[in-house]
Amino acid sequence: MRAGEPSRTAYGAAMHRAMHQQLEGGRVFRDPLAWRILGTDYDEVVASGRYVDRKPLRIMIAVRHRFGEDRLAGAIERGTRQVVILGAGLDTFAYRNPFPDVACYEVDFPATGAWKQQQLAAAGIVEPSTLHRVGVDFEADDDLLARLVESGFDTGRPAFFLWLGVVPYLTPEAVRQTLRTIADISGSEVVFDYTNPADQLSEGGRLARERFSARVGRAGEPMVATFDTAELHDLLGRLGFNQIVDLDRDVIRTRFLGLPSDGESGGAHVLSAVVR
């Protein structure tokens, strides 16, 4: 993040969600507000020459939202009535939320939150009464829970934490601290995505990672945290999480895309875990 500026990777992720609606017809994840919140249209993006040819990244972003909102629906069915969207960016769930008794807390860097409000106002998207905005810098502000409580969050009730497109840009310690905070709220669930270290990738995977890392690094948001899958699962267990569901590249191919297994599991993952 650059001081005083909204997240550029948040904009890129939102653009890929919107492009998925156009290029794949929202087959993996449907978001009827994806284009409106951006304030642009498909023809403008095509004319810019960007985003169209990045299908693997676009599909991964669609999959992580589909998986996250599927898990969220299950948590709400079980009685959860608090949703915390960490690093909300231009996420639109709070404005599509079909559950009138579910409170949504959007947590983000203050500059990104202010930019989002401008985008919403320009698009004429109404902010629901169930929405609460929480300004937090994950690296500098280690009291996420206090910021949430100030906004009305109830620590005595379970919550669902949706944390997408954020972990790779934080330091490992910031990731661990946020997980510790979530682990203190009994019965809660978190969904987040992460990446394996480069030495665990295929040659093609390493080249793709290098290109993407260079691109986001130029935008001022370098990739920082990577996790070995077994070590991450061990960390989650020690913090008090269980019921871990971890989708790797191969599972994503077979479960969401209907493609045959190619046996290549390393790279990007999306994971859910429940607090005991």
Side-chain angles (χ1 to χ4, degrees), residues 29-48:
F29 175 70
R30 292 190 178 277
D31 185 348
L33 299 179
W35 282 111
R36 285 182 60 192
I37 198 169
L38 281 168
T40 187
D41 62 30
Y42 176 70
D43 290 337
E44 290 180 34
V45 177
V46 171
S48 74

Side-chain angles (χ1 to χ4, degrees), residues 195-203 205-207 209-210 226-227:
T195 60
N196 293 134
D199 62 6
Q200 296 182 9
L201 307 182
S202 65
E203 182 178 357
R206 284 195 299 273
L207 290 173
R209 170 79 61 80
E210 289 171 4
T226 61
F227 291 93

Side-chain angles (χ1 to χ4, degrees), residues 67-90:
F67 177 71
E69 292 197 16
D70 283 353
R71 297 291 304 187
L72 169 56
I76 290 173
E77 187 174 328
R78 294 189 298 273
T80 297
R81 289 297 179 268
Q82 300 183 112
V83 177
V84 181
I85 304 172
L86 298 172
L90 291 179

Side-chain angles (χ1 to χ4, degrees), residues 128-144:
S129 60
T130 51
L131 173 65
H132 306 267
R133 295 190 178 281
V134 185
V136 168
D137 183 336
F138 290 101
E139 295 289 355
D141 188 341
D142 63 357
D143 207 347
L144 167 64

Side-chain angles (χ1 to χ4, degrees), residues 9-269:
T9 54
Y11 177 84
M15 184 62 76
H16 285 300
R17 287 195 299 273
M19 291 297 284
H20 173 61
Q21 310 308 304
Q22 193 77 26
L23 296 177
E24 287 84 33
R27 178 167 65 92
V28 175
F29 175 70
R30 292 190 178 277
D31 185 348
L33 299 179
W35 282 111
R36 285 182 60 192
I37 198 169
L38 281 168
T40 187
D41 62 30
Y42 176 70
D43 290 337
E44 290 180 34
V45 177
V46 171
S48 74
R50 301 175 65 194
Y51 299 104
V52 177
D53 61 348
R54 297 176 187 171
K55 185 174 181 179
L57 176 58
R58 182 170 69 244
I59 294 299
M60 178 59 194
I61 288 171
V63 164
R64 73 192 187 194
H65 280 273
R66 166 71 178 277
F67 177 71
E69 292 197 16
D70 283 353
R71 297 291 304 187
L72 169 56
I76 290 173
E77 187 174 328
R78 294 189 298 273
T80 297
R81 289 297 179 268
Q82 300 183 112
V83 177
V84 181
I85 304 172
L86 298 172
L90 291 179
D91 186 276
T92 66
F93 174 78
Y95 316 92
R96 299 180 280 107
N97 177 12
F99 309 101
D101 61 338
V102 171
C104 294
Y105 296 83
E106 287 196 341
V107 180
D108 216 331
F109 192 70
T112 300
W115 165 62
K116 182 173 189 174
Q117 287 183 284
Q118 295 173 358
Q119 295 293 110
L120 291 165
I125 298 174
V126 177
E127 298 189 26
S129 60
T130 51
L131 173 65
H132 306 267
R133 295 190 178 281
V134 185
V136 168
D137 183 336
F138 290 101
E139 295 289 355
D141 188 341
D142 63 357
D143 207 347
L144 167 64
L145 196 56
R147 303 286 83 75
L148 284 167
V149 169
E150 289 169 1
S151 298
F153 183 82
D154 185 349
T155 59
R157 300 165 60 206
F160 186 93
F161 290 81
L162 195 62
W163 197 18
L164 302 179
V166 181
V167 165
Y169 305 101
L170 301 178
T171 61
E173 180 51 37
V175 174
R176 287 190 287 267
Q177 181 57 45
T178 300
L179 290 171
R180 290 187 197 104
T181 297
I182 296 170
D184 284 339
I185 307 168
S186 181
S188 293
E189 181 173 356
V190 63
V191 169
F192 63 93
D193 57 301
Y194 71 97
T195 60
N196 293 134
D199 62 6
Q200 296 182 9
L201 307 182
S202 65
E203 182 178 357
R206 284 195 299 273
L207 290 173
R209 170 79 61 80
E210 289 171 4
R211 289 193 294 269
F212 181 75
S213 296
R215 193 159 62 240
V216 296
R218 289 192 296 271
E221 298 175 42
M223 295 182 70
V224 179
T226 61
F227 291 93
D228 173 84
T229 296
E231 291 176 359
L232 177 60
H233 289 194
D234 180 67
L235 170 65
L236 289 167
R238 286 187 282 107
L239 290 175
F241 290 91
N242 63 4
Q243 299 179 43
I244 297 170
V245 179
D246 190 328
L247 309 185
D248 63 18
R249 177 184 180 278
D250 204 42
V251 174
I252 288 169
R253 280 174 57 88
T254 57
R255 181 181 301 186
F256 291 96
L257 306 181
L259 297 173
S261 171
D262 64 1
E264 189 172 326
S265 60
H269 296 240

